[in-house]
């Protein structure tokens, strides 16, 4: 089982949903970066359970402990080990799943690959393990902050309720003003009502998270097998419940012609549509249908992409399935589960993007931190 992501900036994770702790080791963190523990904890608080009525009721403080790699408040360049202890465990809630396979869950595939599985909340396949990603992503953000690179994700769709695709139409600073993490207050209320309805029915629902990276310099990514969008796609598709990834215009662009899709190069002073980062790129484009990436390499414009999340597989209503012997049976899951993962997945998407961007930045010897 591979548990490491990255080339120069790497994260290796460990832990299970109802084990003693979730943790990880970050390697490749530049030395001399001031470690803002309040910021790291705030990122975890955005992901933690029990935030609102539309998330799982599991109550966890999710307090991170840094074990190494920091001295007198700054990174040393050595590996940073960390743990977040599990404190509110209810493994007995999952006892009825010990011999059953939940439909569309990792139970079946884990069992037939490894010959064993942790039925307590999914064990290693639980979304709780994304804690490690958020911690590492927060560390990466501390570096990116010094470089003027910002990453903002938000809920852009829940079920059939969706925002316009153009993120410029919204004030993204409003994302954290509601429990859904949607920058449109009216749509957020509709999304929240839908999630509440689905939860009351013992069901779940999916949606889409949009992410925007600003200030990224031109030149990140490799042009063959490590294209920047391929790395971002791989990182996003590694998140629990993710079913799709598209960047730039994505699938919507297939109905247009090249004359409509091409991003025309213009001098900086002719560029009126999008924010320009002159410190990072000598040229600009009139539009940004490419999503800030061309030929697998960043071009200095905003990088934006969308991540599709499926409905959570564990339902609090009767479902048909089979047991370990292949016998048909019916069961109703117990325990504490999210009716919709999107609000808590927003910081996870940001974290994965931060790690990918920093990892690629570190590979450019022309840039200094």
């Amino acid at each position: 089982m591979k548990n490491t992501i990255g080339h120069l900036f790497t994260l290796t994770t460990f832990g299970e949903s109802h084990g003693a702790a979730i943790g990880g080791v970050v390697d490749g963190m530049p030395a001399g970066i001031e470690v803002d523990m309040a910021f790291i904890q705030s990122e975890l608080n955005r992901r933690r359970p029990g935030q609102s009525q539309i998330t799982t009721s599991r109550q966890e403080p999710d307090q991170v402990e840094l074990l190494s790699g920091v001295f007198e408040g700054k990174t040393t360049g050595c590996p940073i080990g960390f743990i977040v202890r599990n404190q509110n465990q209810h493994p007995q809630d999952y006892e009825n799943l010990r011999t059953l396979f939940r439909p569309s869950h990792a139970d079946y595939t884990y069992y037939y690959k490894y010959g064993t599985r942790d039925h307590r909340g999914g064990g290693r396949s639980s979304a709780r393990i994304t804690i490690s990603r958020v911690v590492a992503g927060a560390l990466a953000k501390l570096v990116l902050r010094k470089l003027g690179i910002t990453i903002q994700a938000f809920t852009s769709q829940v079920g059939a309720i969706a925002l316009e695709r153009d993120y410029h139409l919204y004030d993204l600073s409003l994302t954290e003003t509601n429990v859904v993490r949607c920058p449109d207050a009216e749509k957020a209320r509709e999304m929240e009502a839908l999630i509440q309805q689905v939860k009351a029915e013992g069901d779940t629902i999916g949606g889409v998270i949009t992410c925007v990276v600003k200030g990224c310099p031109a030149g990140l990514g490799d042009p063959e097998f490590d294209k920047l969008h391929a790395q971002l796609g791989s990182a996003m598709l590694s998140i629990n419940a993710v079913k799709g990834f598209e960047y730039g215009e994505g699938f919507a662009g297939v109905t247009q012609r090249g004359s409509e899709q091409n991003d025309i190069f213009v001098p900086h002073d002719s560029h009126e549509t999008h924010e320009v980062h002159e410190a990072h790129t000598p040229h600009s484009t009139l539009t940004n249908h490419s999503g800030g990436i061309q030929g697998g390499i960043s071009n200095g414009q905003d990088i934006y992409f969308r991540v599709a999340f499926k409905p959570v597989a564990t339902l609090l209503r009767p479902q048909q399935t089979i047991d370990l012997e292949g016998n048909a049976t019916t069961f109703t899951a117990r325990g504490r589960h999210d009716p919709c993962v999107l609000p808590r997945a927003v910081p996870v998407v940001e974290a994965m993007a931060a790690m990918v961007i920093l990892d690629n930045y570190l590979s450019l010897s022309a840039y200094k931190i």
Side-chain angles (χ1 to χ4, degrees):
M1 181 185 293
K2 183 180 179 182
N3 298 288
T4 301
I5 184 174
H7 301 288
L8 297 178
F9 181 90
T10 68
L11 167 67
T12 301
T13 70
F14 62 84
E16 296 82 34
S17 179
H18 290 267
I22 306 294
V25 177
V26 170
D27 204 359
M29 181 72 177
I33 303 298
E34 186 172 346
V35 177
D36 186 342
M37 289 301 299
F39 172 72
I40 297 173
Q41 190 59 52
S42 71
E43 292 291 273
L44 279 173
N45 291 345
R46 296 171 67 208
R47 194 226 70 93
R48 72 175 179 82
Q51 295 180 45
S52 70
Q53 293 298 312
I54 61 171
T55 64
T56 171
S57 60
R58 181 171 177 171
Q59 293 295 321
E60 290 279 2
D62 285 353
Q63 292 288 326
V64 62
E65 303 173 42
L66 300 188
L67 307 177
S68 62
V70 178
F71 179 67
E72 295 184 341
K74 293 186 177 181
T75 57
T76 64
C78 298
I80 300 176
F82 63 88
I83 59 170
V84 173
R85 301 182 188 277
N86 293 325
Q87 296 185 14
N88 188 219
Q89 305 172 59
H90 290 176
Q92 66 278 4
D93 288 345
Y94 304 93
E95 194 58 33
N96 68 324
L97 302 178
R98 180 181 288 274
T99 61
L100 303 179
F101 296 123
R102 283 171 289 179
S104 292
H105 202 280
D107 293 343
Y108 181 86
T109 51
Y110 265 54
Y111 183 79
Y112 278 94
K113 180 175 179 65
Y114 299 108
T116 183
R117 68 182 177 94
D118 187 343
H119 66 282
R120 305 166 303 166
R124 187 71 174 150
S125 67
S126 169
R128 184 154 178 77
I129 67 168
T130 59
I131 283 174
S132 299
R133 301 170 183 229
V134 172
V135 174
L139 289 167
K141 282 184 177 182
L142 291 176
V143 183
L144 297 180
R145 179 192 294 175
K146 292 174 62 67
L147 303 172
I149 301 173
T150 63
I151 300 174
Q152 175 70 71
F154 58 93
T155 299
S156 55
Q157 182 171 346
V158 173
I161 303 171
L163 303 184
E164 296 288 339
R165 293 177 62 90
D166 188 351
Y167 64 90
H168 294 94
L169 300 174
Y170 303 96
D171 181 355
L172 301 189
S173 68
L174 300 177
T175 298
E176 296 294 322
T177 61
N178 56 76
V179 296
V180 184
R181 293 200 165 90
C182 171
D184 184 305
E186 182 177 347
K187 289 288 188 180
R189 285 191 290 270
E190 294 178 24
M191 292 174 178
E192 182 178 359
L194 176 58
I195 296 172
Q196 289 279 26
Q197 175 189 339
V198 167
K199 178 182 178 181
E201 296 170 354
D203 215 331
T204 61
I205 196 163
V208 175
I209 289 175
T210 298
C211 187
V212 182
V213 182
K214 291 180 174 290
C216 187
L220 301 191
D222 290 329
E224 186 60 21
F225 296 113
D226 264 344
K227 290 178 169 64
L228 184 58
H229 57 267
Q231 294 181 57
L232 286 168
S234 177
M236 299 306 148
L237 289 164
S238 75
I239 301 172
N240 308 60
V242 169
K243 283 294 188 179
F245 170 85
E246 64 175 3
Y247 74 103
E249 289 295 301
F251 288 101
V254 302
T255 60
Q256 296 181 322
R257 299 188 179 189
S259 56
E260 299 171 291
Q261 274 283 299
N262 283 353
D263 295 320
I264 306 301
F265 287 104
V266 294
H268 277 311
D269 55 7
S270 299
H271 190 281
E272 300 177 353
T273 306
H274 300 291
E275 181 180 353
V276 180
H277 305 286
E278 297 189 28
H280 298 293
T281 176
H283 304 292
S284 187
T285 54
L286 189 62
T287 55
N288 189 20
H289 300 298
S290 300
I293 303 171
Q294 293 169 329
I297 302 171
S298 63
N299 65 5
Q301 304 305 305
D302 290 353
I303 296 172
Y304 64 95
F305 56 87
R306 291 156 47 89
V307 186
F309 286 77
K310 72 171 185 175
V312 176
T314 303
L315 312 182
L316 301 182
R317 61 191 297 179
Q319 292 189 85
Q320 292 183 330
T321 189
I322 60 172
D323 60 20
L324 294 177
E325 283 72 44
N327 301 310
T329 185
T330 300
F331 80 106
T332 299
R334 298 192 296 268
R336 301 156 296 179
H337 307 279
D338 287 283
C340 178
V341 300
L342 272 75
R344 296 176 58 214
V346 166
V348 181
V349 168
E350 291 180 3
M352 298 306 294
M355 285 189 280
V356 170
I357 296 299
L358 179 57
D359 191 31
N360 280 270
Y361 191 99
L362 293 175
S363 70
L364 291 181
S365 59
Y367 291 101
K368 302 295 184 182
I369 295 174

